PDB file of all heavy atoms in Angstrom:
ATOM      1  N   ILE A   1     -37.453  37.629-211.861  1.00 97.00           N
ATOM      2  CA  ILE A   1     -37.851  36.251-211.987  1.00 97.00           C
ATOM      3  C   ILE A   1     -37.176  35.491-210.764  1.00 97.00           C
ATOM      4  O   ILE A   1     -36.077  35.730-210.414  1.00 97.00           O
ATOM      5  CB  ILE A   1     -37.422  35.668-213.282  1.00 97.00           C
ATOM      6  CG1 ILE A   1     -38.144  36.298-214.431  1.00 97.00           C
ATOM      7  CG2 ILE A   1     -37.632  34.174-213.341  1.00 97.00           C
ATOM      8  CD1 ILE A   1     -37.745  35.942-215.831  1.00 97.00           C
ATOM      9  N   THR A   2     -37.909  34.649-210.178  1.00 98.00           N
ATOM     10  CA  THR A   2     -37.418  33.842-209.049  1.00 98.00           C
ATOM     11  C   THR A   2     -37.336  32.381-209.374  1.00 98.00           C
ATOM     12  O   THR A   2     -38.096  31.802-210.116  1.00 98.00           O
ATOM     13  CB  THR A   2     -38.329  34.074-207.834  1.00 98.00           C
ATOM     14  OG1 THR A   2     -39.656  33.615-208.142  1.00 98.00           O
ATOM     15  CG2 THR A   2     -38.347  35.538-207.432  1.00 98.00           C
ATOM     16  N   ASN A   3     -36.493  31.701-208.626  1.00 98.00           N
ATOM     17  CA  ASN A   3     -36.378  30.236-208.555  1.00 98.00           C
ATOM     18  C   ASN A   3     -36.169  29.774-207.192  1.00 98.00           C
ATOM     19  O   ASN A   3     -35.416  30.448-206.496  1.00 98.00           O
ATOM     20  CB  ASN A   3     -35.303  29.708-209.496  1.00 98.00           C
ATOM     21  CG  ASN A   3     -35.569  29.963-210.931  1.00 98.00           C
ATOM     22  OD1 ASN A   3     -35.071  31.064-211.470  1.00 98.00           O
ATOM     23  ND2 ASN A   3     -36.287  29.118-211.531  1.00 98.00           N
ATOM     24  N   TYR A   4     -36.771  28.592-206.819  1.00 98.00           N
ATOM     25  CA  TYR A   4     -36.639  28.083-205.488  1.00 98.00           C
ATOM     26  C   TYR A   4     -36.212  26.563-205.459  1.00 98.00           C
ATOM     27  O   TYR A   4     -36.524  25.821-206.524  1.00 98.00           O
ATOM     28  CB  TYR A   4     -37.949  28.202-204.764  1.00 98.00           C
ATOM     29  CG  TYR A   4     -38.449  29.552-204.570  1.00 98.00           C
ATOM     30  CD1 TYR A   4     -39.289  30.155-205.416  1.00 98.00           C
ATOM     31  CD2 TYR A   4     -38.085  30.215-203.333  1.00 98.00           C
ATOM     32  CE1 TYR A   4     -39.730  31.510-205.251  1.00 98.00           C
ATOM     33  CE2 TYR A   4     -38.495  31.499-203.130  1.00 98.00           C
ATOM     34  CZ  TYR A   4     -39.294  32.197-204.092  1.00 98.00           C
ATOM     35  OH  TYR A   4     -39.744  33.444-203.895  1.00 98.00           O
ATOM     36  N   ALA A   5     -35.494  26.174-204.473  1.00 98.00           N
ATOM     37  CA  ALA A   5     -35.230  24.753-204.199  1.00 98.00           C
ATOM     38  C   ALA A   5     -36.673  24.088-203.928  1.00 98.00           C
ATOM     39  O   ALA A   5     -37.435  24.644-203.278  1.00 98.00           O
ATOM     40  CB  ALA A   5     -34.281  24.582-203.113  1.00 98.00           C
ATOM     41  N   ASP A   6     -36.771  22.821-204.391  1.00 98.00           N
ATOM     42  CA  ASP A   6     -38.002  22.173-204.200  1.00 98.00           C
ATOM     43  C   ASP A   6     -38.368  22.111-202.676  1.00 98.00           C
ATOM     44  O   ASP A   6     -39.584  22.177-202.307  1.00 98.00           O
ATOM     45  CB  ASP A   6     -37.980  20.771-204.779  1.00 98.00           C
ATOM     46  CG  ASP A   6     -38.063  20.708-206.250  1.00 98.00           C
ATOM     47  OD1 ASP A   6     -38.499  21.748-206.836  1.00 98.00           O
ATOM     48  OD2 ASP A   6     -37.678  19.752-206.932  1.00 98.00           O
ATOM     49  N   SER A   7     -37.344  22.031-201.846  1.00 97.00           N
ATOM     50  CA  SER A   7     -37.523  21.825-200.403  1.00 97.00           C
ATOM     51  C   SER A   7     -38.133  22.970-199.708  1.00 97.00           C
ATOM     52  O   SER A   7     -38.647  22.932-198.650  1.00 97.00           O
ATOM     53  CB  SER A   7     -36.253  21.439-199.782  1.00 97.00           C
ATOM     54  OG  SER A   7     -35.321  22.466-199.928  1.00 97.00           O
ATOM     55  N   VAL A   8     -38.075  24.178-200.360  1.00 98.00           N
ATOM     56  CA  VAL A   8     -38.633  25.392-199.793  1.00 98.00           C
ATOM     57  C   VAL A   8     -39.777  25.992-200.505  1.00 98.00           C
ATOM     58  O   VAL A   8     -40.375  26.986-200.028  1.00 98.00           O
ATOM     59  CB  VAL A   8     -37.433  26.483-199.565  1.00 98.00           C
ATOM     60  CG1 VAL A   8     -36.362  25.837-198.830  1.00 98.00           C
ATOM     61  CG2 VAL A   8     -37.070  27.079-200.926  1.00 98.00           C
ATOM     62  N   LYS A   9     -40.119  25.472-201.631  1.00 98.00           N
ATOM     63  CA  LYS A   9     -41.232  26.034-202.400  1.00 98.00           C
ATOM     64  C   LYS A   9     -42.520  26.122-201.583  1.00 98.00           C
ATOM     65  O   LYS A   9     -42.890  25.136-200.930  1.00 98.00           O
ATOM     66  CB  LYS A   9     -41.449  25.185-203.658  1.00 98.00           C
ATOM     67  CG  LYS A   9     -40.465  25.485-204.769  1.00 98.00           C
ATOM     68  CD  LYS A   9     -40.786  24.704-206.077  1.00 98.00           C
ATOM     69  CE  LYS A   9     -39.775  24.910-207.124  1.00 98.00           C
ATOM     70  NZ  LYS A   9     -40.007  23.984-208.283  1.00 98.00           N
ATOM     71  N   GLY A  10     -43.155  27.191-201.630  1.00 97.00           N
ATOM     72  CA  GLY A  10     -44.373  27.353-200.918  1.00 97.00           C
ATOM     73  C   GLY A  10     -44.236  27.815-199.425  1.00 97.00           C
ATOM     74  O   GLY A  10     -45.179  28.156-198.750  1.00 97.00           O
ATOM     75  N   ARG A  11     -42.981  27.844-198.966  1.00 98.00           N
ATOM     76  CA  ARG A  11     -42.701  28.210-197.586  1.00 98.00           C
ATOM     77  C   ARG A  11     -41.813  29.425-197.550  1.00 98.00           C
ATOM     78  O   ARG A  11     -41.972  30.323-196.663  1.00 98.00           O
ATOM     79  CB  ARG A  11     -42.003  27.082-196.744  1.00 98.00           C
ATOM     80  CG  ARG A  11     -42.812  25.874-196.772  1.00 98.00           C
ATOM     81  CD  ARG A  11     -42.223  24.814-195.803  1.00 98.00           C
ATOM     82  NE  ARG A  11     -40.944  24.428-196.202  1.00 98.00           N
ATOM     83  CZ  ARG A  11     -39.710  24.563-195.528  1.00 98.00           C
ATOM     84  NH1 ARG A  11     -39.768  25.108-194.286  1.00 98.00           N
ATOM     85  NH2 ARG A  11     -38.615  24.108-195.990  1.00 98.00           N
ATOM     86  N   PHE A  12     -40.892  29.566-198.558  1.00 98.00           N
ATOM     87  CA  PHE A  12     -39.999  30.674-198.489  1.00 98.00           C
ATOM     88  C   PHE A  12     -40.316  31.626-199.685  1.00 98.00           C
ATOM     89  O   PHE A  12     -40.757  31.181-200.757  1.00 98.00           O
ATOM     90  CB  PHE A  12     -38.509  30.263-198.698  1.00 98.00           C
ATOM     91  CG  PHE A  12     -37.929  29.463-197.553  1.00 98.00           C
ATOM     92  CD1 PHE A  12     -38.697  29.043-196.408  1.00 98.00           C
ATOM     93  CD2 PHE A  12     -36.534  29.184-197.531  1.00 98.00           C
ATOM     94  CE1 PHE A  12     -38.208  28.336-195.349  1.00 98.00           C
ATOM     95  CE2 PHE A  12     -36.005  28.436-196.536  1.00 98.00           C
ATOM     96  CZ  PHE A  12     -36.856  28.039-195.401  1.00 98.00           C
ATOM     97  N   THR A  13     -39.997  32.874-199.478  1.00 98.00           N
ATOM     98  CA  THR A  13     -40.216  33.890-200.578  1.00 98.00           C
ATOM     99  C   THR A  13     -39.030  34.838-200.592  1.00 98.00           C
ATOM    100  O   THR A  13     -38.642  35.474-199.638  1.00 98.00           O
ATOM    101  CB  THR A  13     -41.523  34.795-200.278  1.00 98.00           C
ATOM    102  OG1 THR A  13     -42.558  33.972-200.139  1.00 98.00           O
ATOM    103  CG2 THR A  13     -41.716  35.754-201.432  1.00 98.00           C
ATOM    104  N   ILE A  14     -38.415  34.950-201.840  1.00 98.00           N
ATOM    105  CA  ILE A  14     -37.300  35.856-201.960  1.00 98.00           C
ATOM    106  C   ILE A  14     -37.746  37.117-202.640  1.00 98.00           C
ATOM    107  O   ILE A  14     -38.694  37.129-203.555  1.00 98.00           O
ATOM    108  CB  ILE A  14     -36.140  35.237-202.833  1.00 98.00           C
ATOM    109  CG1 ILE A  14     -34.886  36.060-202.911  1.00 98.00           C
ATOM    110  CG2 ILE A  14     -36.673  34.896-204.207  1.00 98.00           C
ATOM    111  CD1 ILE A  14     -33.751  35.404-203.443  1.00 98.00           C
ATOM    112  N   SER A  15     -37.265  38.311-202.311  1.00 98.00           N
ATOM    113  CA  SER A  15     -37.583  39.554-202.895  1.00 98.00           C
ATOM    114  C   SER A  15     -36.445  40.505-202.814  1.00 98.00           C
ATOM    115  O   SER A  15     -35.481  40.274-202.102  1.00 98.00           O
ATOM    116  CB  SER A  15     -38.833  40.163-202.235  1.00 98.00           C
ATOM    117  OG  SER A  15     -38.590  40.431-200.768  1.00 98.00           O
ATOM    118  N   ARG A  16     -36.506  41.569-203.651  1.00 98.00           N
ATOM    119  CA  ARG A  16     -35.419  42.550-203.660  1.00 98.00           C
ATOM    120  C   ARG A  16     -36.034  43.866-203.670  1.00 98.00           C
ATOM    121  O   ARG A  16     -37.077  44.164-204.226  1.00 98.00           O
ATOM    122  CB  ARG A  16     -34.509  42.335-204.772  1.00 98.00           C
ATOM    123  CG  ARG A  16     -35.139  42.428-206.172  1.00 98.00           C
ATOM    124  CD  ARG A  16     -34.152  41.861-207.246  1.00 98.00           C
ATOM    125  NE  ARG A  16     -32.939  42.710-207.370  1.00 98.00           N
ATOM    126  CZ  ARG A  16     -31.796  42.255-207.943  1.00 98.00           C
ATOM    127  NH1 ARG A  16     -31.778  41.005-208.480  1.00 98.00           N
ATOM    128  NH2 ARG A  16     -30.693  43.018-208.013  1.00 98.00           N
ATOM    129  N   ASP A  17     -35.306  44.803-203.044  1.00 97.00           N
ATOM    130  CA  ASP A  17     -35.542  46.257-203.075  1.00 97.00           C
ATOM    131  C   ASP A  17     -34.343  46.942-203.713  1.00 97.00           C
ATOM    132  O   ASP A  17     -33.274  47.187-202.949  1.00 97.00           O
ATOM    133  CB  ASP A  17     -35.850  46.865-201.822  1.00 97.00           C
ATOM    134  CG  ASP A  17     -36.305  48.201-201.714  1.00 97.00           C
ATOM    135  OD1 ASP A  17     -35.917  49.048-202.630  1.00 97.00           O
ATOM    136  OD2 ASP A  17     -36.917  48.652-200.792  1.00 97.00           O
ATOM    137  N   ASN A  18     -34.332  47.298-204.987  1.00 96.00           N
ATOM    138  CA  ASN A  18     -33.155  47.860-205.673  1.00 96.00           C
ATOM    139  C   ASN A  18     -32.728  49.144-205.093  1.00 96.00           C
ATOM    140  O   ASN A  18     -31.523  49.502-205.138  1.00 96.00           O
ATOM    141  CB  ASN A  18     -33.459  47.905-207.154  1.00 96.00           C
ATOM    142  CG  ASN A  18     -33.369  46.482-207.856  1.00 96.00           C
ATOM    143  OD1 ASN A  18     -32.848  45.534-207.270  1.00 96.00           O
ATOM    144  ND2 ASN A  18     -33.934  46.507-209.012  1.00 96.00           N
ATOM    145  N   ALA A  19     -33.719  49.908-204.678  1.00 96.00           N
ATOM    146  CA  ALA A  19     -33.407  51.202-204.123  1.00 96.00           C
ATOM    147  C   ALA A  19     -32.641  51.137-202.782  1.00 96.00           C
ATOM    148  O   ALA A  19     -31.834  52.048-202.496  1.00 96.00           O
ATOM    149  CB  ALA A  19     -34.721  52.036-203.933  1.00 96.00           C
ATOM    150  N   LYS A  20     -32.904  50.023-202.041  1.00 97.00           N
ATOM    151  CA  LYS A  20     -32.172  49.864-200.829  1.00 97.00           C
ATOM    152  C   LYS A  20     -30.950  48.863-200.939  1.00 97.00           C
ATOM    153  O   LYS A  20     -30.271  48.589-199.953  1.00 97.00           O
ATOM    154  CB  LYS A  20     -33.189  49.323-199.808  1.00 97.00           C
ATOM    155  CG  LYS A  20     -34.273  50.315-199.337  1.00 97.00           C
ATOM    156  CD  LYS A  20     -35.124  49.782-198.253  1.00 97.00           C
ATOM    157  CE  LYS A  20     -36.132  50.747-197.845  1.00 97.00           C
ATOM    158  NZ  LYS A  20     -37.083  50.195-196.765  1.00 97.00           N
ATOM    159  N   HIS A  21     -30.770  48.403-202.121  1.00 98.00           N
ATOM    160  CA  HIS A  21     -29.652  47.466-202.381  1.00 98.00           C
ATOM    161  C   HIS A  21     -29.803  46.202-201.502  1.00 98.00           C
ATOM    162  O   HIS A  21     -28.752  45.782-201.023  1.00 98.00           O
ATOM    163  CB  HIS A  21     -28.261  48.124-202.237  1.00 98.00           C
ATOM    164  CG  HIS A  21     -27.941  49.036-203.326  1.00 98.00           C
ATOM    165  ND1 HIS A  21     -26.644  49.503-203.588  1.00 98.00           N
ATOM    166  CD2 HIS A  21     -28.737  49.728-204.211  1.00 98.00           C
ATOM    167  CE1 HIS A  21     -26.670  50.344-204.588  1.00 98.00           C
ATOM    168  NE2 HIS A  21     -27.881  50.524-204.972  1.00 98.00           N
ATOM    169  N   THR A  22     -30.906  45.831-201.273  1.00 98.00           N
ATOM    170  CA  THR A  22     -31.202  44.696-200.284  1.00 98.00           C
ATOM    171  C   THR A  22     -32.068  43.672-200.954  1.00 98.00           C
ATOM    172  O   THR A  22     -33.005  43.858-201.758  1.00 98.00           O
ATOM    173  CB  THR A  22     -31.956  45.342-199.089  1.00 98.00           C
ATOM    174  OG1 THR A  22     -31.074  46.283-198.497  1.00 98.00           O
ATOM    175  CG2 THR A  22     -32.198  44.360-198.060  1.00 98.00           C
ATOM    176  N   VAL A  23     -31.682  42.423-200.560  1.00 98.00           N
ATOM    177  CA  VAL A  23     -32.518  41.312-200.884  1.00 98.00           C
ATOM    178  C   VAL A  23     -32.911  40.556-199.678  1.00 98.00           C
ATOM    179  O   VAL A  23     -32.216  40.553-198.674  1.00 98.00           O
ATOM    180  CB  VAL A  23     -31.686  40.250-201.785  1.00 98.00           C
ATOM    181  CG1 VAL A  23     -30.460  39.723-201.070  1.00 98.00           C
ATOM    182  CG2 VAL A  23     -32.550  39.056-202.312  1.00 98.00           C
ATOM    183  N   TYR A  24     -34.183  40.004-199.663  1.00 98.00           N
ATOM    184  CA  TYR A  24     -34.789  39.473-198.459  1.00 98.00           C
ATOM    185  C   TYR A  24     -35.091  37.908-198.725  1.00 98.00           C
ATOM    186  O   TYR A  24     -35.419  37.542-199.856  1.00 98.00           O
ATOM    187  CB  TYR A  24     -36.188  40.243-198.166  1.00 98.00           C
ATOM    188  CG  TYR A  24     -35.987  41.621-197.985  1.00 98.00           C
ATOM    189  CD1 TYR A  24     -36.222  42.580-198.942  1.00 98.00           C
ATOM    190  CD2 TYR A  24     -35.541  42.237-196.739  1.00 98.00           C
ATOM    191  CE1 TYR A  24     -36.075  43.972-198.791  1.00 98.00           C
ATOM    192  CE2 TYR A  24     -35.389  43.601-196.563  1.00 98.00           C
ATOM    193  CZ  TYR A  24     -35.605  44.473-197.694  1.00 98.00           C
ATOM    194  OH  TYR A  24     -35.402  45.778-197.332  1.00 98.00           O
ATOM    195  N   LEU A  25     -35.225  37.224-197.657  1.00 98.00           N
ATOM    196  CA  LEU A  25     -35.692  35.990-197.738  1.00 98.00           C
ATOM    197  C   LEU A  25     -36.665  35.736-196.489  1.00 98.00           C
ATOM    198  O   LEU A  25     -36.368  35.697-195.395  1.00 98.00           O
ATOM    199  CB  LEU A  25     -34.629  34.882-197.557  1.00 98.00           C
ATOM    200  CG  LEU A  25     -35.110  33.336-197.769  1.00 98.00           C
ATOM    201  CD1 LEU A  25     -35.541  33.190-199.194  1.00 98.00           C
ATOM    202  CD2 LEU A  25     -33.939  32.477-197.355  1.00 98.00           C
ATOM    203  N   GLN A  26     -38.037  35.741-196.907  1.00 98.00           N
ATOM    204  CA  GLN A  26     -39.079  35.502-195.869  1.00 98.00           C
ATOM    205  C   GLN A  26     -39.238  33.965-195.771  1.00 98.00           C
ATOM    206  O   GLN A  26     -39.524  33.205-196.809  1.00 98.00           O
ATOM    207  CB  GLN A  26     -40.393  36.033-196.346  1.00 98.00           C
ATOM    208  CG  GLN A  26     -41.548  35.821-195.365  1.00 98.00           C
ATOM    209  CD  GLN A  26     -41.333  36.502-194.051  1.00 98.00           C
ATOM    210  OE1 GLN A  26     -40.913  37.576-193.887  1.00 98.00           O
ATOM    211  NE2 GLN A  26     -41.712  35.712-192.985  1.00 98.00           N
ATOM    212  N   MET A  27     -38.965  33.413-194.490  1.00 98.00           N
ATOM    213  CA  MET A  27     -39.131  31.948-194.204  1.00 98.00           C
ATOM    214  C   MET A  27     -40.224  31.727-193.307  1.00 98.00           C
ATOM    215  O   MET A  27     -40.218  32.184-192.241  1.00 98.00           O
ATOM    216  CB  MET A  27     -37.755  31.557-193.720  1.00 98.00           C
ATOM    217  CG  MET A  27     -36.509  31.869-194.664  1.00 98.00           C
ATOM    218  SD  MET A  27     -35.007  31.157-193.981  1.00 98.00           S
ATOM    219  CE  MET A  27     -34.828  32.037-192.412  1.00 98.00           C
ATOM    220  N   ASP A  28     -41.158  30.997-193.876  1.00 98.00           N
ATOM    221  CA  ASP A  28     -42.359  30.576-193.019  1.00 98.00           C
ATOM    222  C   ASP A  28     -42.391  29.125-192.911  1.00 98.00           C
ATOM    223  O   ASP A  28     -41.768  28.327-193.611  1.00 98.00           O
ATOM    224  CB  ASP A  28     -43.681  31.146-193.696  1.00 98.00           C
ATOM    225  CG  ASP A  28     -43.685  32.628-193.846  1.00 98.00           C
ATOM    226  OD1 ASP A  28     -43.326  33.349-192.913  1.00 98.00           O
ATOM    227  OD2 ASP A  28     -44.049  33.195-194.924  1.00 98.00           O
ATOM    228  N   THR A  29     -43.159  28.658-191.919  1.00 98.00           N
ATOM    229  CA  THR A  29     -43.387  27.173-191.700  1.00 98.00           C
ATOM    230  C   THR A  29     -42.042  26.519-191.589  1.00 98.00           C
ATOM    231  O   THR A  29     -41.799  25.472-192.328  1.00 98.00           O
ATOM    232  CB  THR A  29     -44.299  26.564-192.709  1.00 98.00           C
ATOM    233  OG1 THR A  29     -45.363  27.428-193.038  1.00 98.00           O
ATOM    234  CG2 THR A  29     -44.826  25.365-192.168  1.00 98.00           C
ATOM    235  N   LEU A  30     -41.112  27.022-190.732  1.00 98.00           N
ATOM    236  CA  LEU A  30     -39.761  26.497-190.698  1.00 98.00           C
ATOM    237  C   LEU A  30     -39.714  25.183-190.144  1.00 98.00           C
ATOM    238  O   LEU A  30     -40.564  24.851-189.268  1.00 98.00           O
ATOM    239  CB  LEU A  30     -38.913  27.499-189.891  1.00 98.00           C
ATOM    240  CG  LEU A  30     -38.448  28.696-190.775  1.00 98.00           C
ATOM    241  CD1 LEU A  30     -38.038  29.861-189.739  1.00 98.00           C
ATOM    242  CD2 LEU A  30     -37.272  28.320-191.652  1.00 98.00           C
ATOM    243  N   LYS A  31     -38.836  24.352-190.576  1.00 98.00           N
ATOM    244  CA  LYS A  31     -38.711  22.973-190.127  1.00 98.00           C
ATOM    245  C   LYS A  31     -37.296  22.760-189.594  1.00 98.00           C
ATOM    246  O   LYS A  31     -36.412  23.495-189.874  1.00 98.00           O
ATOM    247  CB  LYS A  31     -38.859  22.022-191.294  1.00 98.00           C
ATOM    248  CG  LYS A  31     -40.190  22.156-192.048  1.00 98.00           C
ATOM    249  CD  LYS A  31     -40.271  21.233-193.267  1.00 98.00           C
ATOM    250  CE  LYS A  31     -41.558  21.334-194.010  1.00 98.00           C
ATOM    251  NZ  LYS A  31     -41.588  20.430-195.194  1.00 98.00           N
ATOM    252  N   PRO A  32     -37.104  21.764-188.748  1.00 97.00           N
ATOM    253  CA  PRO A  32     -35.770  21.569-188.184  1.00 97.00           C
ATOM    254  C   PRO A  32     -34.734  21.325-189.215  1.00 97.00           C
ATOM    255  O   PRO A  32     -33.565  21.759-189.176  1.00 97.00           O
ATOM    256  CB  PRO A  32     -35.909  20.186-187.364  1.00 97.00           C
ATOM    257  CG  PRO A  32     -37.258  20.334-186.963  1.00 97.00           C
ATOM    258  CD  PRO A  32     -38.161  21.019-188.013  1.00 97.00           C
ATOM    259  N   GLU A  33     -35.067  20.788-190.472  1.00 96.00           N
ATOM    260  CA  GLU A  33     -34.125  20.596-191.503  1.00 96.00           C
ATOM    261  C   GLU A  33     -33.717  21.867-192.241  1.00 96.00           C
ATOM    262  O   GLU A  33     -32.822  21.799-193.122  1.00 96.00           O
ATOM    263  CB  GLU A  33     -34.729  19.417-192.543  1.00 96.00           C
ATOM    264  CG  GLU A  33     -36.046  19.741-193.030  1.00 96.00           C
ATOM    265  CD  GLU A  33     -37.130  19.050-192.184  1.00 96.00           C
ATOM    266  OE1 GLU A  33     -37.089  18.990-190.967  1.00 96.00           O
ATOM    267  OE2 GLU A  33     -37.991  18.461-192.836  1.00 96.00           O
ATOM    268  N   ASP A  34     -34.420  22.903-191.934  1.00 98.00           N
ATOM    269  CA  ASP A  34     -34.000  24.300-192.424  1.00 98.00           C
ATOM    270  C   ASP A  34     -32.853  24.812-191.665  1.00 98.00           C
ATOM    271  O   ASP A  34     -32.215  25.820-192.168  1.00 98.00           O
ATOM    272  CB  ASP A  34     -35.102  25.185-192.368  1.00 98.00           C
ATOM    273  CG  ASP A  34     -36.218  24.861-193.271  1.00 98.00           C
ATOM    274  OD1 ASP A  34     -36.071  24.440-194.480  1.00 98.00           O
ATOM    275  OD2 ASP A  34     -37.426  25.024-192.958  1.00 98.00           O
ATOM    276  N   THR A  35     -32.404  24.231-190.654  1.00 98.00           N
ATOM    277  CA  THR A  35     -31.198  24.682-189.777  1.00 98.00           C
ATOM    278  C   THR A  35     -29.974  24.609-190.587  1.00 98.00           C
ATOM    279  O   THR A  35     -29.619  23.631-191.150  1.00 98.00           O
ATOM    280  CB  THR A  35     -31.034  23.801-188.602  1.00 98.00           C
ATOM    281  OG1 THR A  35     -32.223  23.936-187.691  1.00 98.00           O
ATOM    282  CG2 THR A  35     -29.805  24.134-187.809  1.00 98.00           C
ATOM    283  N   ALA A  36     -29.355  25.740-190.759  1.00 98.00           N
ATOM    284  CA  ALA A  36     -28.136  25.874-191.578  1.00 98.00           C
ATOM    285  C   ALA A  36     -27.515  27.282-191.404  1.00 98.00           C
ATOM    286  O   ALA A  36     -28.225  28.216-190.816  1.00 98.00           O
ATOM    287  CB  ALA A  36     -28.461  25.660-193.027  1.00 98.00           C
ATOM    288  N   LEU A  37     -26.417  27.484-191.929  1.00 98.00           N
ATOM    289  CA  LEU A  37     -25.775  28.796-192.135  1.00 98.00           C
ATOM    290  C   LEU A  37     -26.216  29.368-193.486  1.00 98.00           C
ATOM    291  O   LEU A  37     -26.043  28.670-194.501  1.00 98.00           O
ATOM    292  CB  LEU A  37     -24.209  28.789-192.021  1.00 98.00           C
ATOM    293  CG  LEU A  37     -23.508  30.078-191.946  1.00 98.00           C
ATOM    294  CD1 LEU A  37     -23.941  30.949-190.766  1.00 98.00           C
ATOM    295  CD2 LEU A  37     -22.013  29.726-191.937  1.00 98.00           C
ATOM    296  N   TYR A  38     -26.905  30.440-193.569  1.00 98.00           N
ATOM    297  CA  TYR A  38     -27.468  31.042-194.763  1.00 98.00           C
ATOM    298  C   TYR A  38     -26.588  32.094-195.330  1.00 98.00           C
ATOM    299  O   TYR A  38     -26.244  33.020-194.607  1.00 98.00           O
ATOM    300  CB  TYR A  38     -28.876  31.520-194.532  1.00 98.00           C
ATOM    301  CG  TYR A  38     -29.896  30.464-194.437  1.00 98.00           C
ATOM    302  CD1 TYR A  38     -29.950  29.568-193.263  1.00 98.00           C
ATOM    303  CD2 TYR A  38     -30.833  30.250-195.378  1.00 98.00           C
ATOM    304  CE1 TYR A  38     -30.917  28.527-193.204  1.00 98.00           C
ATOM    305  CE2 TYR A  38     -31.785  29.262-195.345  1.00 98.00           C
ATOM    306  CZ  TYR A  38     -31.841  28.435-194.186  1.00 98.00           C
ATOM    307  OH  TYR A  38     -32.813  27.402-194.179  1.00 98.00           O
ATOM    308  N   TYR A  39     -26.221  31.964-196.588  1.00 98.00           N
ATOM    309  CA  TYR A  39     -25.319  32.889-197.249  1.00 98.00           C
ATOM    310  C   TYR A  39     -26.100  33.715-198.289  1.00 98.00           C
ATOM    311  O   TYR A  39     -26.899  33.138-199.074  1.00 98.00           O
ATOM    312  CB  TYR A  39     -24.196  32.165-197.921  1.00 98.00           C
ATOM    313  CG  TYR A  39     -23.211  31.506-197.036  1.00 98.00           C
ATOM    314  CD1 TYR A  39     -23.471  30.161-196.649  1.00 98.00           C
ATOM    315  CD2 TYR A  39     -22.160  32.131-196.410  1.00 98.00           C
ATOM    316  CE1 TYR A  39     -22.654  29.439-195.837  1.00 98.00           C
ATOM    317  CE2 TYR A  39     -21.321  31.419-195.534  1.00 98.00           C
ATOM    318  CZ  TYR A  39     -21.534  30.172-195.175  1.00 98.00           C
ATOM    319  OH  TYR A  39     -20.710  29.489-194.456  1.00 98.00           O
ATOM    320  N   CYS A  40     -25.707  34.998-198.432  1.00 98.00           N
ATOM    321  CA  CYS A  40     -26.224  35.830-199.526  1.00 98.00           C
ATOM    322  C   CYS A  40     -25.195  35.671-200.672  1.00 98.00           C
ATOM    323  O   CYS A  40     -23.977  35.717-200.435  1.00 98.00           O
ATOM    324  CB  CYS A  40     -26.338  37.179-198.953  1.00 98.00           C
ATOM    325  SG  CYS A  40     -26.903  38.427-200.190  1.00 98.00           S
ATOM    326  N   ASN A  41     -25.689  35.749-201.838  1.00 98.00           N
ATOM    327  CA  ASN A  41     -24.823  35.715-203.064  1.00 98.00           C
ATOM    328  C   ASN A  41     -25.155  36.759-204.039  1.00 98.00           C
ATOM    329  O   ASN A  41     -26.473  36.960-204.245  1.00 98.00           O
ATOM    330  CB  ASN A  41     -24.853  34.373-203.669  1.00 98.00           C
ATOM    331  CG  ASN A  41     -24.154  34.273-204.925  1.00 98.00           C
ATOM    332  OD1 ASN A  41     -24.628  34.335-206.094  1.00 98.00           O
ATOM    333  ND2 ASN A  41     -22.766  34.067-204.873  1.00 98.00           N
ATOM    334  N   ALA A  42     -24.211  37.454-204.713  1.00 98.00           N
ATOM    335  CA  ALA A  42     -24.466  38.274-205.735  1.00 98.00           C
ATOM    336  C   ALA A  42     -23.717  37.842-206.996  1.00 98.00           C
ATOM    337  O   ALA A  42     -22.457  37.684-206.827  1.00 98.00           O
ATOM    338  CB  ALA A  42     -24.026  39.756-205.418  1.00 98.00           C
ATOM    339  N   TYR A  43     -24.385  37.691-208.103  1.00 96.00           N
ATOM    340  CA  TYR A  43     -23.767  37.153-209.334  1.00 96.00           C
ATOM    341  C   TYR A  43     -24.063  37.865-210.585  1.00 96.00           C
ATOM    342  O   TYR A  43     -25.300  38.271-210.842  1.00 96.00           O
ATOM    343  CB  TYR A  43     -24.201  35.678-209.461  1.00 96.00           C
ATOM    344  CG  TYR A  43     -23.835  35.120-210.890  1.00 96.00           C
ATOM    345  CD1 TYR A  43     -22.391  34.720-211.042  1.00 96.00           C
ATOM    346  CD2 TYR A  43     -24.682  34.930-211.905  1.00 96.00           C
ATOM    347  CE1 TYR A  43     -22.071  34.176-212.195  1.00 96.00           C
ATOM    348  CE2 TYR A  43     -24.339  34.425-213.109  1.00 96.00           C
ATOM    349  CZ  TYR A  43     -23.021  34.039-213.306  1.00 96.00           C
ATOM    350  OH  TYR A  43     -22.592  33.526-214.503  1.00 96.00           O
TER     351      TYR A  43
END
């Protein structure tokens, strides 16, 4: 199950590959306001 911030809905897609222990963030139609330091979190 996924949840997104309103500001990225329809542009970003999160996915995971449990076999590779990896999570992805596909970011499309990027805007200048997307500029930031992006952190991965495990909870």
